[in-house]
Structure formats: C-alpha cells, structure tokens
Amino acid sequence: MIASTRDRMQLGLLLGPATVFLAVFFLIPLAIMVVTSFLAPGLYGGVEWEFYPHNFGRIFGFADPAFEEFDPVYLEIFLRSVRIAVLTVIATLLVCYPAAFCISMMPGKWKSFCLFLIALPFFTSLIVRLFVWVLILRQSGPVNGVLLALGLIDQPLDLIYTEGAIILGMVYIFIPFMFMPIYASVEKLDWSLIRASQDLGAGPIRTFVRVILPLTAPGIIGGSLIVFIPALGNFIVPAILGGAKVMMLGNLIEQQFLSARNWPFGSALAMMVMSVMLVTMMGFVFVSGRRRSSMASLSGGQRGAQ
Amino acid sequence: MSLNWLFRGGLVAYTALFFAFIYLPLALIAVYSFNSNPVNMMTWEGFTTDWYWQVLGFKTTVSEAAMYIESTGQLLAALRNSIVIAFSTTLISTVLGTALALALYRYDFLGARTYRVLMFMPMLVPDIVLGIALLIFFVNAGVHLGIGTIIIGQCTFLISYVFIVVSSRLAGMDRSLEHASADLGANEWVTFRKVVLPQLMPGVMGGALLAFIISMDDLVITYFIAGTDVTTLPIFIFAMLRRGIKPEINAIAVMMLTFSFLVASLGLYLRSRQK
C-alpha cells in the first residue's frame, strides 16, 4: 500500500507524535515500574540498585530475613481483593442480567429512554456516586434509621466499612459496564430458537441453561472481564467505603507510595494486579476463541443459510 | 394467560427496582442538600438553600462549626484546575488519537494489527498501576509534579479512548465517496477536507466529549501525579470525604450531578440526532 516517499512521510507524521508520546509516557514508565519491583528499598525512600526478590517474598513467604519474619497479612489482602472482585462480578451480573431482558422486551421508545438512564450515571462524578453510599450506610443513615424505627434492631449496625459495603459500592458504579455488553448479546438473541426449544419439549430451566445462557455467554464473559479488571486494583471504593478496616491491594499500594515510601514493594504489589489482569485476559481470549470455533461448528449451517 | 400477565408484571417490577437502585440514592442527596439540620441529615428540620449559598461563597446564617471549606476560593481553584486540565488533555488526546486512527485506516503497514491491539492497553491497565508507574517515572526524571504532569498522565489513556471512538466512525465510513472525489479530479488534500473530514467530525467530537468527561472525573491517576500544590475537583472532594461528612458536601454533589446530567443529556441527544 505504501507507494511513495510522500506516503511514507504522511504516515510518519500521523503516527509519529502519538507513538513517541505513548512510548515515553506509557511503555517506559511501566518498564521502570517492573524494574523497581525487583530492587531493594532504600532506607529513606528511594531504591538501592541491587537485585532483591524479597518484595514478592513479603507476599509469598520468603521475606528478607534481615528485616522481618514473613507476615501473611499481605497475602490475605491479595486474596481478599481477588475475592471482593469476583463477588462484585457475580453480584453485578445477577443485577444486570434480568434487567437486560426486561429492557430488551420493551417497546422502542421506552427502550432507548431506559438505555439513556443506564448510561447517564457513567457520565457523572464517580466520587459523588460513592459518597451517596456513605450517607446511606453509616450509623445515622436511613437504613439503620428504618431498621431502628421498625424495632428490628436495638443498636445501629456497622454497615459501612465492611466487605459488603465495598461490594455494594462497586456494583453501583460498575452497572453500566456490565449492562451494556449483556444487553448487546440479549438484543441479538434469536427468539425462534427459544420457541423451538420449548416446542421440542424443554422446560423453562432447560431452555435457559441449554439455549439462552450459551447464546448470551459472550456478553456475560465480556461484561465480567471489564468489571473484574477495575474492581481488582480499585482503591477509591475501599478508601471510602472500607475505611481502615477492610484493606484491598489498591489501598496497600497507595500506602506504600504515599506514606510508607517503600516504592519497590508498592511496585511489586502493582505487578500482582497486572499479572492477575493478564492471566484473566488470556483466559478470556482462550475461552472466546474456543467458543467461536465450537459455536461455528454448531450453528454453521444456520449462519450459512442467512 | 394469567401466567403471562404475572411474568410481565414481574418484569416491570424488576425494572422499576433496578432503576430505583440506581436513582434513589442520588435523589436522597438532593433531599439532604435542602435540609437545614446541620448535625443529622436523617432528621428533617426545614427547607433551606443556605448550603448552596454557603458553597458559592455568600454569607448565611449557618454557623462556622458546621462548615469545612475554609473558603470558596479553594473549591473554585480546584474547579479551575480541573477545567484547564480537561481542555488541554482533550485537545492533545483528540489530535493524537485522531491522527493515529487515520494512519491505521489509510495505510496498511507492517505491524498495523499489533498497533491496533496495543492501543487497548492504556485503557486496560488498571488506573492505580498506571498512576504509580507515572509517579516513579516523573520523580526519577526529576520533573516537578503539577498541572503539566497531570495533563501528560491523563493523555496516556485518553488517546486510546479517542482512537477507539474515531476508528469505529472510520470503519463505518463509505470509501467510495473518496474514490469518487478523486475520480472527479480533486487532489488528496481537497478530498480529505471536503469528503473525509465532514464525515469524520461526529466521531472526533464524540471522542473529544468522552475525553473531556473522563478527564474532569479522573481521580486515581491524577491523585498520584498531582504533587502537593495542585488540587482538582475530584481530589478536593475525596479529601473532604476523608475528613468527615458535613452537609455542604451535599450541595456540591448536587451541583456536580446536575451539571453532568445536563452535559451528558445534551451529548446523547446530539448523538441520537445524527443517526
């Protein structure tokens, strides 16, 4: 395609600035972070230039014996972060999946209005949307107020600063992320296949598990992926709704950088977030690749007929 | 038949609950923001707009103890920083992102596919990872942290957003018009300006709007590379929240929600009219 020097110059002009920008301010910083995670922390912040695997050792059980004994607290925080992220994905999915069906069955005008209402919060301040839940869940908030007034409890419950509060906050902010991919696959659903399944004698549950679920799987997988990644390394939600009680990787990283000033350890923690993300992504590529080939063999005839 | 009605009723009820979950909390702050009770927002003490006036810097009857912004000046400075940063990042990322999208659309060169995949990376890398990577980088490079570093940091991922929006617009464009223009004797530049650009503009505007909104709301990356003397609006509110909750924050929240609802409605309305 590239015929002349003029073309080549034009391409360079279009491609060059952004490439240089991203190489300098994206790739190089990430590379420096990777290197930092293998360096020893200096005594007063900063780093010592020597190979030091104990940053990861502090997480996995081979901490530097010169400084400390292994403390499983970091591993606990890591596992808690993964658990919270997984539970967030499941909860968001359970909330959004039925809603996608409800909205896709609506008449046209209502449908687009509902989609607008779901997209709208995405454009509003994240911090404001999280702040609301502080108001709702705290001891003098409406939830405790109602429960006290009904006489169901004598003492206000500790709703905020719990894992549940973090998951609730994450579900609230990630709804648009999960809803849109699921909705896209529900909209494409071929209802004649569902009728066919019922005509052939399958009950509602069987139809759901064998027909509806596989057909909407791309949306479920895609939505789960784009919720899982930001949930895992999140630091705002636990900072606001988890307080000092429920710490996640994000808070721990922030602490290492802004107060403990142990940048190598902070970088190692960030590498943990990155590696879980990469493994998840590769799993996603693998699953969607396999699905595509199996779906193609299953519905090849039907596609060909269309 | 009755089962069908039950099913329908269930669907409607579920949808109503779903939207209640999304919007009732926001309605709650709006109600709280007009409550004159300075201590317990749960108990309604009377209607007042004092919190709004107080935030906007007017003298009201609210006692000093109930406030935590020392001056409206701080809030306005944070807002001004956010706007300056958002305009700069929008300009830079729109130009660079659009150029990239055009390059990959017009030329099929070695590595173009890899490029396309790599452009998703800045969006997929978790915020906190990018934030600390940039912090390490800037500190090692001896760059003073401030508005400049925030603008650069936000552009690293905003370019990707603009690139994706513009690319999808380009993918849906009709190339035969370009060929027609060339056949009719227009040179490349005229074709670009009169044929490609007008078709591309909605995509570019959409990308720019998205970049602006994300920039105004970015907290995590900005938080790490803001340094000590620059505050943006989200960071300002984050800092307030960490110090405890007082009613004036409701008024700020409601003003921000109203503003972004208006901008987003306008944006989505314009987009729906284009189709």
Side-chain angles (χ1 to χ4, degrees), chain B:
Chain B
M1 204 61 211
S2 70
L3 198 72
N4 202 352
W5 275 109
L6 203 70
F7 183 65
R8 263 166 191 266
L11 284 185
V12 171
Y14 185 83
T15 317
L17 267 178
F18 179 72
F19 283 111
F21 176 60
I22 299 178
Y23 283 98
L24 271 187
L26 301 180
L28 185 79
I29 340 183
V31 173
Y32 276 1
S33 74
F34 293 110
N35 185 356
S36 62
N37 190 333
V39 186
N40 188 349
M41 297 171 208
M42 261 293 282
T43 322
W44 183 261
E45 213 169 73
F47 180 86
T48 179
T49 50
D50 280 357
W51 303 116
Y52 289 89
W53 294 118
Q54 194 71 41
V55 168
L56 295 172
F58 294 93
K59 274 267 165 277
T60 60
T61 53
V62 175
S63 70
E64 291 281 319
M67 309 299 301
Y68 59 158
I69 301 184
E70 279 86 45
S71 70
T72 310
Q74 289 177 333
L75 180 70
L76 289 179
L79 178 65
R80 205 196 56 219
N81 284 339
S82 279
I83 291 173
V84 168
I85 291 165
F87 271 110
S88 318
T89 51
T90 303
L91 186 70
I92 298 170
S93 59
T94 305
V95 171
L96 294 183
T98 306
L100 263 182
L102 275 172
L104 291 174
Y105 165 73
R106 311 205 71 171
Y107 300 100
D108 192 13
F109 56 96
L110 198 69
R113 273 190 57 153
T114 323
Y115 230 104
R116 231 178 278 272
V117 175
L118 278 180
M119 282 312 293
F120 280 90
M121 281 306 288
M123 288 171 56
L124 288 174
V125 169
D127 291 358
I128 195 158
V129 175
L130 192 52
I132 62 153
L134 285 162
L135 174 67
I136 301 174
F137 173 76
F138 286 132
V139 169
N140 278 328
V143 181
H144 181 73
L145 298 177
I147 289 199
T149 51
I150 298 175
I151 293 173
I152 291 174
Q154 292 189 352
C155 281
T156 53
F157 61 98
L158 291 178
I159 291 174
S160 292
Y161 282 96
V162 175
F163 169 80
I164 285 161
V165 174
V166 176
S167 289
S168 70
R169 178 81 197 178
L170 279 167
M173 254 165 56
D174 189 357
R175 268 207 112 154
S176 60
L177 287 173
E178 270 180 77
H179 296 309
S181 163
D183 287 347
L184 292 170
N187 68 28
E188 217 173 311
W189 170 241
V190 172
T191 304
F192 178 75
R193 219 169 40 117
K194 300 249 162 165
V195 179
V196 180
L197 210 55
Q199 287 189 82
L200 192 60
M201 252 355 234
V204 176
M205 294 310 285
L209 186 68
L210 189 65
F212 189 87
I213 289 169
I214 296 175
S215 170
M216 282 293 284
D217 195 34
D218 183 65
L219 177 57
V220 180
I221 290 163
T222 312
Y223 180 75
F224 283 98
I225 53 177
T228 43
D229 33 68
V230 177
T231 307
T232 63
L233 194 55
I235 294 184
F236 188 77
I237 295 171
F238 188 52
M240 283 170 90
L241 279 179
R242 284 189 153 184
R243 281 161 60 192
I245 289 166
K246 295 187 182 175
E248 62 189 313
I249 203 169
N250 296 326
I252 299 175
V254 171
M255 287 193 275
M256 286 174 70
L257 284 175
T258 314
F259 179 75
S260 50
F261 276 7
L262 288 177
V263 172
S265 310
L266 189 72
L268 292 173
Y269 172 73
L270 288 178
R271 223 187 69 181
S272 71
R273 280 203 11 166
Q274 271 162 24
K275 279 177 186 165

Side-chain angles (χ1 to χ4, degrees), chain A residues 25-36:
Chain A
F25 296 117
F26 179 72
L27 294 177
I28 293 181
L30 284 180
I32 295 177
M33 186 197 81
V34 174
V35 173
T36 308

Side-chain angles (χ1 to χ4, degrees), chain A residues 81-92:
Chain A
S81 303
V82 175
R83 183 175 66 232
I84 289 179
V86 169
L87 289 174
T88 299
V89 168
I90 295 171
T92 319

